[in-house]
């Protein structure tokens, strides 16, 4: 297969044989037939591979996971029913009650809540660090029971580019993996494994699907983290699993250990499986990801430049914009483009922000981002409304922040819509 990710997103994951369908088939089935109960027992023991029940694995889901795996340059991958499930599984696969996570404070509000509230109830604590913290501050966040470091390659909605090497260096010094949510740049623009990241997650709901049609998630493992070298920290990976007749994932499944454990244990017990039809649709949409990302990035740059030149806008944040605080990191880790999402400040308080959004005509107000159709959201009033003022500040989400997701329409139409709404609310 090609080294070019925009070729892999078209061709990867599925190679039909002679006379077989050019598009991958949809195996919209819950179960699979066998003629020998002995063989079924071996499947249950994981001593033989094969499909038996879609809650654990399904061929259509696996075909799309294989495409995403190739795009990220990983060794194993799985799909989940949502991005939330992907992040939860990636962390819970290696964190037990009494364990601890170090996470960037600039992450999606839903993920922040997952880690800060729900996982805390499960006895897993977290220290959040400012992604711009010094090496010393980052070091100080670790505890003897720390099991993972988590961040977003480009944070939603603050658009902070994670310093992969700083975070990977600290994680590895403490013998734990760095897990990064790579939803915003996608592997078209950024391949975190090349900079020391161990495990990547995605909300495929966003650019990968890109058409507002399928909620979904993915986890990809680089295969680079040596679990057995840190066996005392990761007993779930490195000691026998009684619920699977004593398999030891890190020994028995080599580089596929992390994904095998997440599938065998977490999918079995939590059942956050995507519907095969959703995976199939998302897989079709993946084929255009390369061209879509290019257009999203071009549009976002033009729109960011327009907003920057408009005196009615207080500030603009877009890592693709020269002069942006995170432009240098973006140039280093995602030189071909970042994403289509911009955040900017609308002055005058909550009511003015709301009025500005209400006057947009083509750009829709949607609890969504990273989609073919331009859309916008006011995070402090919606996705992040459960956060305190201090948490909002730590997450880089001010009360004047508007998030705009530039679609793949003509950039002039996006700009014209923003301009007419600004003219109406603030005067020309
Ligand atoms: C960066 C990021 N990660 C994860 C999620 C959660 O994904 P989902 O909505 O598919 O559960 C989102 C949703 O917006 C997101 O933006």
């Amino acid at each position: 297969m090609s080294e070019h990710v925009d070729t892999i997103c078209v061709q990867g994951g599925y190679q039909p044989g002679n006379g077989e369908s050019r598009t991958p088939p949809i195996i919209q089935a819950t179960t699979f037939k066998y003629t020998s109960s002995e063989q079924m027992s071996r499947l249950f023991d994981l001593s033989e591979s094969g499909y038996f029940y879609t809650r654990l694995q399904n061929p259509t889901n696996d075909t799309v996971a294989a495409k995403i795996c190739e795009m990220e340059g990983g060794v194993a991958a799985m799909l989940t029913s949502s991005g939330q499930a992907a992040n939860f599984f990636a962390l819970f696969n290696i964190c037990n009650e009494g364990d601890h996570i170090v996470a960037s404070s600039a992450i999606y509000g839903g993920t922040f809540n997952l880690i800060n509230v729900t996982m805390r109830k499960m006895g897993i604590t977290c220290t959040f660090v400012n992604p711009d913290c010094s090496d010393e501050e980052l070091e100080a966040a670790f505890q003897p029971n720390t099991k993972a470091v988590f961040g977003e390659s480009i944070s939603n909605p603050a658009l902070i580019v994670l310093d992969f090497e700083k975070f990977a260096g600290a994680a590895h010094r403490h013998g734990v993996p760095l897990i990064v949510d790579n939803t915003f740049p996608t592997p078209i623009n950024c391949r975190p494994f090349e900079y020391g990241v161990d495990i990547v997650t995605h909300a495929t709901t966003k650019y990968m699907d890109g058409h507002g049609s399928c909620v979904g998630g993915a986890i990809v493992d680089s295969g680079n983290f040596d679990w057995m070298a840190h066996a005392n920290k990761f007993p779930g990976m490195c000691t026998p699993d009684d619920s699977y007749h004593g398999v030891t994932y890190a020994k028995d499944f080599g580089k596929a250990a992390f994904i095998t454990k997440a599938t065998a244990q977490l999918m079995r017990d939590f059942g956050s499986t995507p519907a095969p039809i959703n995976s199939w649709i998302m897989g079709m949409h993946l084929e255009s990801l390369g061209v879509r990302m290019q257009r999203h990035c071009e549009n976002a740059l033009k729109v960011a430049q327009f907003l920057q030149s408009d005196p009615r806008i207080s500030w603009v944040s877009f890592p693709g914009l020269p002069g942006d605080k995170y432009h240098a990191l973006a140039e280093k880790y995602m030189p071909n483009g970042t994403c289509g999402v911009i955040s900017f400040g609308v002055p005058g308080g909550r009511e003015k922000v709301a009025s500005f959004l209400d006057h947009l005509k083509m750009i829709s107000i949607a609890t969504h981002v990273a989609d073919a159709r331009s859309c916008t959201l006011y995070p402090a009033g919606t996705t992040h409304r459960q956060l305190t003022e201090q948490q909002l500040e730590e997450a880089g989400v001010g009360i004047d922040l508007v998030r705009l997701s530039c679609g793949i329409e003509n950039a002039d139409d996006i700009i014209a819509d923003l301009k007419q709404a600004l003219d109406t609310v603030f005067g020309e």
Side-chain angles (χ1 to χ4, degrees), residues 82-84 87 108 111 152 156 181 183-184 203 205-206 215-216 369:
S82 67
Q84 284 297 106
N87 282 328
Y108 167 60
T111 314
E152 289 177 4
N156 176 11
D181 180 331
T183 297
F184 268 29
T205 319
K206 307 300 164 188
V215 173
V369 71

Side-chain angles (χ1 to χ4, degrees), residues 35 137 159 192 289 306 349 370:
T35 50
E137 285 164 335
L159 302 176
L289 188 67
F306 159 74

